[in-house]
Amino acid sequence: MINLCEYLAGNEYPGRGIAIGRTPCGKNIRVAYWIMGRSENSRNRVFVEDGEGIRTQAFDPSKLEDPSLIIYAPVRVIDGKTIVTNGDQTDTVYDFLKEGRTSEEALRTREFEPDGPNWTPRISAVIKGESVQMSILKSEDVEGSSCIRNFFEYESLKAGTGRFISTYKHNGNPIPSFEGEPMEFEMVCQPFDEWSNDIWNALNSDNKVSLFTRVINIETGEHKSMIFNKNN
């Protein structure tokens, strides 16, 4: 079990990441999703509220180059299910769930991002009550010739623990994709605002762009969110 903030503080570039944990009291689920960037185009973004979810938008529209992989809705909610992803597969999952189908079915229609030589993985999560589904779609090789789809289902997160997945292992050229199952981390007893600030402060100051956090009451579904943007 890792200390999430220590791990992030020691990793210059994990890329985009999703962390989901259950508070020690067992009553709440906390969610964190962040984006990072190395290029000016990637860094030219902010999170804004959009209904029950959020979307990305250009901080300076005049500097926006290619919006295809950086402008999307990372978080959407449907029928009490919170969808969190690092790309427009959020909409694919949302549409499939709306039709009564599964997130796995939705993601089998998608693959990693077409940004060779990195072939950035698509990471996704669906939270419902105390259960969490996570996935990563990544390239099998450096040519991007085939997609590996890994699905992980946690029927009931244990109180005081969480799971974390990111697009990359660390910085590089090309950037190596995340490997293995989502990492287990400890959820310590601390206020939601403090937990959110700790994650934001742990992310590399040069490469971090935005962070979204949410706490969800498992029984009632009531939630509170925070947004951090480097570009204010």
Side-chain angles (χ1 to χ4, degrees):
M1 189 180 299
I2 65 169
N3 179 300
L4 180 62
C5 289
E6 287 182 3
Y7 175 85
L8 294 175
N11 191 335
E12 179 185 39
Y13 200 69
R16 286 164 278 175
I18 301 171
I20 304 169
R22 188 171 184 177
T23 53
C25 67
K27 296 180 180 179
N28 302 300
I29 293 290
R30 290 182 181 175
V31 181
Y33 173 69
W34 62 85
I35 58 175
M36 307 182 81
R38 300 193 302 178
S39 68
E40 182 178 12
N41 195 45
S42 292
R43 293 177 175 179
N44 180 34
R45 288 183 288 175
V46 292
F47 284 164
V48 296
E49 293 181 350
D50 185 12
E52 288 191 274
I54 60 170
R55 58 183 170 84
T56 63
Q57 70 178 28
F59 174 66
D60 184 347
S62 68
K63 295 181 179 180
L64 181 63
E65 298 173 7
D66 179 8
S68 61
L69 296 177
I70 66 169
I71 303 299
Y72 56 92
V75 179
R76 297 186 70 181
V77 178
I78 180 172
D79 297 332
K81 297 178 180 178
T82 303
I83 308 164
V84 185
T85 91
N86 71 322
D88 63 9
Q89 72 268 29
T90 308
D91 297 333
T92 307
V93 173
Y94 183 95
D95 290 342
F96 270 66
L97 293 180
K98 189 176 182 179
E99 296 172 358
R101 303 170 73 181
T102 67
S103 58
E104 290 90 345
E105 289 178 289
L107 292 168
R108 288 191 180 102
T109 70
R110 305 301 302 270
E111 61 177 23
F112 49 85
E113 296 182 356
D115 63 343
N118 295 318
W119 308 117
T120 299
R122 292 189 186 273
I123 55 174
S124 308
V126 178
I127 305 103
K128 173 68 173 178
E130 62 189 18
S131 69
V132 176
Q133 297 171 323
M134 304 182 84
S135 64
I136 182 169
L137 317 180
K138 59 184 182 178
S139 176
E140 185 174 14
D141 51 42
V142 295
E143 290 80 25
S145 64
S146 180
C147 182
I148 298 174
R149 296 179 178 88
N150 294 147
F151 299 96
F152 309 92
E153 184 169 0
Y154 303 94
E155 185 177 29
S156 176
L157 280 183
K158 295 180 181 179
T161 69
R163 291 286 175 168
F164 153 74
I165 194 169
S166 60
T167 51
Y168 308 125
K169 287 197 298 183
H170 50 69
N171 210 348
N173 191 22
I175 318 174
S177 296
F178 184 93
E179 290 182 346
E181 69 175 274
M183 295 182 182
E184 186 177 22
F185 65 90
E186 182 181 9
M187 285 288 293
V188 299
C189 186
Q190 64 180 146
F192 170 64
D193 295 11
E194 183 180 308
W195 180 77
S196 303
N197 275 284
D198 284 351
I199 294 176
W200 179 245
N201 292 331
L203 294 168
N204 181 272
S205 59
D206 291 329
N207 295 319
K208 67 182 178 183
V209 176
S210 297
L211 166 69
F212 166 85
T213 59
R214 173 167 288 177
V215 57
I216 308 169
N217 183 284
I218 292 174
E219 184 176 348
T220 67
E222 294 180 357
H223 56 78
K224 171 186 175 182
S225 303
M226 296 182 69
I227 289 177
F228 299 77
N229 288 311
K230 189 173 181 179
N231 295 313
N232 290 317

